[in-house]
Amino acid sequence: MTVEGCDVVGYHCEQCTHAWNRPVESDLGVHDIVRADLPDATLHGSVRQVEGDRVQVLVSDSRRLLWTERWRLIAY
C-alpha cells in the first residue's frame, strides 16, 4: 500500500476495530537491529544482508539466519 508516495503496511485490530499504518523501512543496512513481525512469532535480531525487498536477519535468541520480507521489519 502507498500513502503520500511512501510504502506503508496497514494493520487492523479485529477486537477493537482500530486501523493504522506504518512506513516500510527503506534504509535498512547491515547490523541494524530489527523486530520481525511474522505470522506465527515476533523475533528480534540484526540485519545480515539486504537484497531488494527481502532481508536476512540473524535471530538473537537462536542465532539462526532467517530471510523475510522487508515490510515485516521494524528498525530500532
Side-chain angles (χ1 to χ4, degrees):
M1 176 175 10
T2 302
V3 174
E4 297 178 9
C6 181
D7 290 334
V8 297
V9 177
Y11 293 91
H12 180 261
C13 176
E14 293 180 11
Q15 295 174 337
C16 69
T17 68
H18 181 73
W20 67 98
N21 298 321
R22 74 163 177 78
V24 174
E25 302 289 348
S26 61
D27 60 348
L28 287 174
V30 174
H31 303 297
D32 283 350
I33 304 301
V34 295
R35 181 180 89 201
D37 290 332
L38 305 176
D40 56 343
T42 298
L43 304 174
H44 302 268
S46 60
V47 173
R48 290 296 175 227
Q49 292 185 55
V50 179
E51 292 183 1
D53 287 338
R54 68 184 201 141
V55 178
Q56 187 180 47
V57 176
L58 178 62
V59 179
S60 297
D61 61 350
S62 65
R63 305 294 296 172
R64 67 183 164 121
L65 292 171
L66 166 77
W67 282 101
T68 189
E69 299 91 351
R70 178 187 296 267
W71 66 266
R72 293 188 181 277
L73 300 177
I74 297 173
Y76 290 114

